[in-house]
Structures are given as C-alpha cells and as structure tokens.
Amino acid sequence: MTIDELVLLLKASQATGLTTLQELILRSSWEGKTYTNIACEAHYGEERVKKIAAHLWQVLSNFSKEPINKSNFRLTLESYPFSQAHQQLVKEFNQAATAISLEFPSGPVSLNSRFYIPRPPIEELAYAEIAKPGSVICIKAPKKMGKSSLIVRLLARAKKQGFHTVTLDFQQADKAVFTSLDKFLRWFCTNVSQELQLEPKLNDYWDKDMDSKVSCSIYFQQYLLSALSSPLVLVLNQVDWVFKDLEIAGELLPLVRSWHEQAKSVEIWQKLRLVMVYSTEILVPLRLTQSPFNIGLRINLPPFTKEQVQDLAQRHGLDWRDGKDAEILMAMVGGNPYLVRLALYHLVGKGGLKRDLGQLLQQAPTEAGIYHDYFRQYVLALQDEPELRDAFLEVISTTNYVKLEPALADKLQSLGLINLEGDRSTVACELYRLYFRQYLKKSESLNIINAGI
C-alpha cells in the first residue's frame, strides 16, 4: 500500500475523515521526519503533534490488527495489500464526495478544492525558494496550464509563514500607465503601497531631478520595506503586458534584477521575495547581467502525466486505474489541465454525457462539443491577427513540425496552441488540429468568396 492509498482509505473509512494536520503527520512520518520537524513545518506545538499522532497510530493499529507506532508505521503498512474491498470503499467515497463538491473548472483551483493536482517537485521547490532572502521565482507557462492555481498555494504558504503578500496584475493597468516609465513606476509603487495598506507617499521620496528607477528603488527601500516587520512576497502577474512596451520592459526588468542583486549586500532588500508570472518569452534585448529571468528558480509548468490524469479522474469518481481511458482522452487533449478537467466534469453527469467518453471525444472538435465556448477566445485572437492565423494554419496542416518566425511561434505558444522545442513548432494537441483545421479552412474559403465578390 502506498501513502496515497492509505490517506484515501482513511478519508473514506473514518467518519470524520482526515484533517489537514493529520494528513501532514501521516505523510511526513512516512518520509521519516521527526515530530520536531513536523511541528516546525506545520507551525504547531510539538506536544500537540505527538498527541494527534498517537491517536493516528491507534486508528491504524485497529485497522491493520497489528500494533502501529511511528517507528514501524511505513514498514508495516507498505506491505499491507490495498484490497478489492478497499478500492471499492475509496471509489464509493470519491463518487459521493464528487456529487457534493463538483465544481466547474473556471479560474484558479481553490485552496480547499479536491481537484488540485500537485506536480512534484514544483510546489515544494517554490515553497522552499520563497523562504530564501531576496529570492526570485519565474513561472512560465501557456494559458490554462495552472499558473494561477500554483500562485494561490504559494501565497497561502507565504501568509502561513507570516509574510506580507501583494499581487500586481499588469493586465489591469490602464493604457495611460504605459505612456512613460515615470508614470508606470509611480503606478507600480502606489499599488504596492495600497495593497500593503500603507499611505502612498511618493512625493516624499520621488525626486524629479533623479532617475525614476532610482526614485522607485529609494521608495521601496526607505519606505515600503522599512515599514514591514516581515518579508514581502510580491507577485508580478501577466508580466507579458509589460513586454509589449519595449522601452518600459527594457527599464523595469533590469531594475527588478538590481533589487535581487542588492539583497546580497543590503539587508533590507532581503525582505523582498519576487514572483514573476508570464506566458511568453521576452523579446526585449537584454544583456545576461540585466535579465531577471536567468536568476533564482525558473518554473515551467508541464502538462499532466498519464498518472496525474488518472488521479484527477479518481477524484471525480471515475475508475480509470487501468489507464486506457486516460490514454484515450490524452490522445485528443494531451495533458492540458483545463481540457482534461472540463472533460471529467462533463463525464460525471454534467451536460448529459453520463460517462460516455467516446461520445464526448466525437463531439469535442465540433460546434456541438464541450469546448465550443473555450475555442471562441482563440477564434477572436486569430481573426484579429491574420499573420498569426496563417502561421497556425501552417502548423496544423502538417503532421511533422514547421519553423515559424520567432515572434509568431512565441505568441502561439503563449496562447497554448502549439508546442515549441527550439525552432520546431507542433500543434499542442489533436483537438486543436481537428477543430481549427476545419474552422480556418472554412474561414479561408469565405475570404476568397468575399474577395471575388
């Protein structure tokens, strides 16, 4: 029996389920961690951890009909069979829980959701990095790959450690903000101040005769960071929007890099922990010593593996342990977390599909399919940019790979429509090929007809 199977079994068999602390004690003890380490990680007193652990060992002793304690916990239960009866109990538990808690996949997966699938070791690496003074984390992935869900958990961990947290979404900034570097940096500092519930005092620190970047740094160092008793985790979300203005991006990114460098010698800058979130590669020409993207921890969120798809299916109450249905679904949508989860949402009874995977996949690349509304955002994006549309049509018209102009390839990758390895572009999944090959060719025919008229 694995620790995952044991945790599921206890959740299914215990009337009160498992608390977060109980599960942490089980998993940490399985890894051989001491009560002292567990208490430190959980931010609980060691005596409380020992008391809860003692209750767990008693529950497991009754369950296995053998005396269980911390020292023999894993050795005893790892060889314990996960029987057919256990599997049926977990299956019924998942089905009952899913019927109650089924949630439409939209936006970040909430902290208390049963449908968040970890992608080890990404989460633990991010948690460890954010604890380091002056750290920088760069999270890059196409749309709908789970960036926001990871950020939710990263911020929750930071708050649990007593850190201040601020998230700035550059997509929410008005166009006027990007008309000059000075205006942008003042907007930047004002928003961070307000998020920290500090009165903006830019005029006290901003010197018109001094470089805006210097004024911004002084404001952070002498006002914002000095006012905080604990570290600040600053999430810069949708950094791609800054990339669109080469002048501002060319100034902001080296500034961010300089703050990280200052943390090595100026103690107060160690309070700042930066997280940069983006979908596309930066095309601003920067020297290696100016870019913030080649320092700290770089995270590229990968698609789900077959095992992770099976795990998510199980959480939806589906028995996909043999892997066949997971392979069939992935042959169409790959490991895209959103596409997989939307399919599972409909398969457990929503939309009248009643677990008919074949019917779902047959309809998937059509106007009658479950992804029709999702496709609209891409249809609009491709209509607005004919060059992008033509480049994508070239990709989906071949079963091999094509070499696109770098800016177009990067834009398509940021949208999640293609996979990009070096200069080789391939369609992200078969679903996109089937739907857009039909749509784009139909659109192309209409254009020819309209041109003839």
Side-chain angles (χ1 to χ4, degrees), residues 132-148:
K132 297 177 182 178
S135 59
V136 174
I137 300 177
C138 297
I139 303 175
K140 178 181 180 291
K143 294 178 182 294
K144 297 292 188 181
M145 286 297 290
K147 298 188 296 296
S148 296

Side-chain angles (χ1 to χ4, degrees), residues 271-422:
K271 288 184 181 180
L272 184 61
R273 321 291 164 85
L274 282 164
V275 182
M276 305 183 70
V277 188
Y278 54 106
S279 299
T280 184
E281 289 293 346
I282 177 170
L283 299 177
V284 180
L286 293 174
R287 294 196 299 270
L288 287 176
T289 55
Q290 292 181 317
S291 174
F293 301 115
N294 57 7
I295 56 176
L297 176 65
R298 299 186 64 181
I299 294 176
N300 289 291
L301 288 179
F304 281 162
T305 64
K306 174 185 169 183
E307 290 72 25
Q308 288 166 335
V309 172
Q310 289 175 274
D311 183 2
L312 188 56
Q314 183 181 49
R315 298 183 191 206
H316 281 77
L318 298 170
D319 185 3
W320 282 15
R321 281 171 298 157
D322 63 6
K324 292 180 181 178
D325 285 335
E327 289 174 354
I328 293 171
L329 177 59
M330 293 181 74
M332 178 65 80
V333 304
N336 182 293
Y338 176 77
L339 299 181
V340 169
R341 192 173 167 205
L342 188 62
L344 296 175
Y345 172 84
H346 284 274
L347 284 174
V348 295
K350 299 294 179 181
L353 288 167
K354 299 178 181 178
R355 302 173 188 253
D356 190 338
L357 180 59
Q359 181 187 354
L360 184 148
L361 294 180
Q362 183 178 12
Q363 295 177 350
T366 71
E367 300 295 319
I370 64 171
Y371 300 111
H372 173 61
D373 290 337
Y374 171 71
F375 288 141
R376 294 302 302 166
Q377 61 179 312
Y378 294 120
V379 167
L380 294 174
L382 295 174
Q383 283 178 345
D384 290 342
E385 299 188 50
E387 281 189 324
L388 198 66
R389 179 198 62 206
D390 294 343
F392 187 49
L393 181 57
E394 185 180 352
V395 172
I396 62 178
S397 297
T398 178
T399 54
N400 203 343
Y401 65 86
V402 297
K403 295 183 179 181
L404 300 176
E405 194 275 319
L408 293 173
D410 196 66
K411 181 70 178 291
L412 288 170
Q413 185 193 36
S414 72
L415 290 171
L417 290 173
I418 68 168
N419 295 322
L420 189 58
E421 295 185 14

Side-chain angles (χ1 to χ4, degrees), residues 231-246:
L232 165 63
V233 175
L234 177 57
V235 177
L236 305 182
N237 202 8
Q238 298 282 357
V239 179
D240 311 67
W241 282 76
V242 181
F243 296 171
K244 295 178 180 180
D245 190 301
L246 298 185

Side-chain angles (χ1 to χ4, degrees), residues 25 35 47-61 68-70:
I25 291 171
Y35 286 132
E47 288 306 313
R48 183 179 178 187
V49 169
K50 288 181 178 179
K51 183 177 180 180
I52 293 174
H55 172 70
L56 286 171
W57 307 146
Q58 185 58 53
V59 168
L60 290 171
S61 296
I68 299 291
N69 53 50
K70 189 175 186 303

Side-chain angles (χ1 to χ4, degrees), residues 77-92:
L77 293 177
E78 201 165 22
S79 59
Y80 201 85
F82 191 59
S83 68
Q84 290 269 348
H86 295 152
Q87 293 170 17
Q88 184 62 29
L89 183 63
V90 168
K91 179 180 178 181
E92 291 172 359

Side-chain angles (χ1 to χ4, degrees), residues 94-115:
N94 279 327
Q95 289 174 344
T98 300
I100 297 171
S101 64
L102 189 67
E103 26 181 272
F104 184 78
S106 176
V109 182
S110 62
L111 272 177
N112 59 354
S113 173
R114 60 188 278 104
F115 300 116

